Amino acid sequence: MLKKIQITTLAGAKRIGFAIFLGAVVSGCSSNDDFLACQQAVSTGSVVVGSGLAGDPAIPEPQSGYKLGKKPVTGLSYMAVTANPLATKAGCEVLRDGGSAMDAAVAIQMVLGLVEPQSSGLGGGAFMLHYDAASKKVQSYDGRETAPSAATEDYLRYISATDKSNPLPKLSNAFNSTRASGRSIGTPGAVRMLELAHKDYGKRSWGELFNPAIQLASEGFPISGRMAAAIAGARADLLRDPDAVGYFLNADLSPKALGTTIKNPDYAATLKTIASGGADAFYTGPIAKSIVDKIAASTGGPASPVEITPGLTSLQDLANYKAIRREPVCTTYRNTWVCGMGPPSSGGVAVAQALGILEQFDLSAQKPTQIGDEGAKPSVAAVHLISEAQRLAYADRNQYLADTDFFPLPANGVSSLVDKAYLKTRASLISLTKSMGTATAGTFTAKPMGSSSQEGNGTSHVTIVDRAGNVVSMTTTIESGMGSFHFTRGFLLNNQLTDFSFDPVDASGAMIANKIGPNKRPRSSMAPTIVFSKAADGSMGDFLMATGSPGGASIIQFVTKTLIGVIDWKLDAQQASAMVNFGAANSPTTGVGGEHPYIDSSANGLNDPLLNGLRALGHTVSFAAQSSGVSTIVKTIIPGRASPVYVGGADPRREGIALGDSPL
């Protein structure tokens, strides 16, 4: 029957929702709690994802900038949230059958690479945070791509030392031109990172975790709205690659459309090879040779026979690739500990800086002006304060953050950048009545440094909690949508190297930390995040929430608003994920996501009090649509239950869902 429940987060949020209680026991389930495990609750009962029945979230729908009506999902003991229903199902079923959060992450990534190839996959990289509930340890994993050993400072901007033209094929601008060449492709890191992390925290065998994706690739799946839109938008670029043409386009070279059942036998074969041979089977042997050969391509296929500047990646580059265990960036924010990813990602540091600056202001007194089923609409004062804090954080990010294995951070490194006294000083630069426009980086070094900000946004995020309370927050990417448009053995190759600065110095001649170099990892903004309560003695306490998002450099903004939504404004996981997107990089422009139903974009936004209020404070306001993909899980107290449950929220700007056991 339908039962009305009140959800209260550990931070105190309240929300009314509906769920379905069925008292049956199903053979093979470990308990009554598993009866509805990994199913989508609908008004008439529940539905299995991928069944094709009414209410099935995997039924393809046209891409939408914002899908109305997403509800929070509860789970008693485990949960997975991803940007695609089929991937969420695969991960949830691994958890249901006793797998760990790390097991589920492997299964999810293999499915995402198939059903959401435009965003992540075998040909890309990832950053991951893992929380081990038994030891209470947070470990971060770096699976970022690397530049080839033959890369020079001019690798991205010139064809050669004697030919100062931009890499080919020539497109509308230099960034895109390099992106479509072999020069943009970094040595993929996701597979090696997942294997390393699985060896540390996996429970089930590596090989069996590939089965869901192998089955989908062999039997086929319907093309979703986002995948269909990505294919259509990239058609001209995909034409240069005969393997991409054969997979993404029809015989008449038209893009395969929404709902088309598509099979990927090459991907299935690749997965079988990795499943049986481990990551070594990807980084050496025939798969590695196919990757190197594709990067070295110097001309397009018959459908678009243009010249392409090849990359210089070698078989040795792949064989030498190493994923790295790194220390997470953990800092306090009010009554919580927030842990994120350190360099070469700037995400953890920038989020920590923004939060540290905002600790000087009472955001709880600046609650959203509207809270409802579609999340929340923030107040003018809150957007102003948070955007100003982000400007200051991005200023430091753009100047100092890079691969610290090649270029050290200033002063005492991360600890100096997130130092409370330093951030209090930075907060004093914020005016309550006028935007600063563009911030200046904090002063740490006597020698001026150059600044660089570019980054793409073809990415996905995964959040998982297992029965034992272990947590995975993983952001995974091939960089821009459809990556480099180079396709081999069933997967796309990244264009991750375009996250490097194209120029080694700025206009004044100051060196840029994020310049390209041999074997170097480009800076990222990916910000997988895990939050804990603060214990009475000030130490890290119990798990509270995990979140993350795709979105290029805007990831920092999407994650910050989600954290503040839960911690300061007591929103539930779905409300915080769905909330209006807002924030600023280091420019006079403040973005407010115009795709959200709470934003009135009519008459150039002049009818919306939030947009007008920001303009009055000197912000240059953009209300262009923003494509976040926040996946959030919050540990939640429900009145009448002795133990907390998990509440999951999936961003309505993407196709994802949350699934767990026994939704309430």
Side-chain angles (χ1 to χ4, degrees), residues 608-621:
D608 193 291
L610 173 58
L611 305 183
N612 285 334
L614 291 170
R615 292 186 182 107
L617 292 173
H619 295 259
T620 300
V621 179

Side-chain angles (χ1 to χ4, degrees), residues 414-465:
V414 169
S415 63
S416 294
L417 289 170
V418 301
D419 177 74
K420 295 290 186 180
Y422 169 66
L423 296 178
K424 185 175 182 179
T425 301
R426 297 289 276 167
S428 69
L429 301 174
I430 296 177
S431 165
L432 298 180
T433 59
K434 185 174 180 59
S435 174
M436 67 180 69
T438 301
T440 301
T443 302
F444 289 101
T445 57
K447 186 177 181 180
M449 294 176 59
S451 181
S452 161
S453 61
Q454 66 198 36
E455 189 168 341
N457 56 9
T459 305
S460 199
H461 184 80
V462 175
T463 304
I464 309 163
V465 180

Side-chain angles (χ1 to χ4, degrees), residues 165-500:
S165 303
N166 293 139
L168 300 170
K170 288 191 178 297
L171 297 177
S172 58
N173 57 59
F175 177 82
N176 281 334
S177 175
T178 302
R179 171 192 170 182
S181 76
R183 296 290 178 85
S184 73
I185 303 170
T187 301
V191 175
R192 186 66 81 187
M193 185 204 77
L194 285 169
E195 183 185 64
L196 175 66
H198 181 263
K199 286 179 178 177
D200 288 346
Y201 294 109
K203 288 177 60 179
R204 294 174 58 179
S205 69
W206 169 262
E208 68 180 294
L209 301 173
F210 289 70
N211 290 338
I214 291 170
Q215 182 177 352
L216 276 172
S218 301
E219 297 178 359
F221 65 95
I223 293 177
S224 69
R226 289 188 64 83
M227 182 175 173
I231 295 171
R235 175 185 174 276
D237 295 303
L238 295 172
L239 285 173
R240 289 188 294 271
D241 190 305
D243 295 318
V245 168
Y247 182 62
F248 292 111
L249 306 182
N250 296 309
D252 64 356
L253 301 184
S254 62
K256 290 184 178 176
L258 172 73
T260 303
T261 296
I262 186 169
K263 297 181 181 180
N264 194 338
D266 289 343
Y267 188 71
T270 297
L271 293 185
K272 290 176 182 177
T273 301
I274 302 169
S276 61
D280 284 346
F282 180 87
Y283 289 93
T284 61
I287 296 176
K289 186 175 187 308
S290 294
I291 293 171
V292 169
D293 288 348
K294 184 65 66 168
I295 293 172
S298 59
T299 185
S304 183
V306 298
E307 187 176 351
I308 297 174
T309 300
L312 301 179
T313 300
S314 68
L315 286 170
Q316 199 64 33
D317 288 321
L318 267 78
N320 289 342
Y321 180 85
K322 288 180 173 58
I324 303 174
R325 298 181 188 89
R326 296 191 186 273
E327 285 299 311
V329 175
C330 294
T331 59
T332 59
Y333 176 64
R334 307 200 196 280
N335 63 341
T336 69
W337 278 88
V338 179
C339 291
M341 190 75 211
S345 182
S346 64
V349 171
V351 169
Q353 283 194 314
L355 294 177
I357 292 167
L358 291 166
E359 274 193 309
Q360 308 306 313
F361 304 93
D362 184 7
L363 288 180
S364 65
Q366 307 295 340
K367 293 188 180 298
T369 59
Q370 182 177 355
I371 298 177
D373 288 344
E374 302 306 327
K377 182 177 184 177
S379 67
V380 173
V383 174
H384 171 71
L385 288 172
I386 295 167
S387 298
E388 297 298 280
Q390 289 169 346
R391 286 183 166 91
L392 293 163
Y394 275 96
D396 281 359
R397 167 200 181 269
N398 294 348
Q399 186 154 309
Y400 297 120
L401 271 294
D403 185 346
T404 50
D405 292 340
F406 289 79
F407 196 93
L409 291 171
N412 295 318
V414 169
S415 63
S416 294
L417 289 170
V418 301
D419 177 74
K420 295 290 186 180
Y422 169 66
L423 296 178
K424 185 175 182 179
T425 301
R426 297 289 276 167
S428 69
L429 301 174
I430 296 177
S431 165
L432 298 180
T433 59
K434 185 174 180 59
S435 174
M436 67 180 69
T438 301
T440 301
T443 302
F444 289 101
T445 57
K447 186 177 181 180
M449 294 176 59
S451 181
S452 161
S453 61
Q454 66 198 36
E455 189 168 341
N457 56 9
T459 305
S460 199
H461 184 80
V462 175
T463 304
I464 309 163
V465 180
D466 66 24
R467 292 180 189 271
N470 305 310
V471 183
V472 164
S473 181
M474 177 176 72
T475 312
T476 173
T477 182
I478 58 167
E479 179 56 0
S480 302
M482 289 291 187
S484 64
F485 314 110
H486 290 59
F487 189 78
T488 186
R489 290 186 177 262
F491 59 91
L492 284 160
L493 295 175
N494 68 85
N495 66 299
Q496 212 71 63
L497 300 188
T498 58
D499 273 358
F500 281 117

Side-chain angles (χ1 to χ4, degrees), residues 46 518 574:
S46 63
Q574 185 58 47

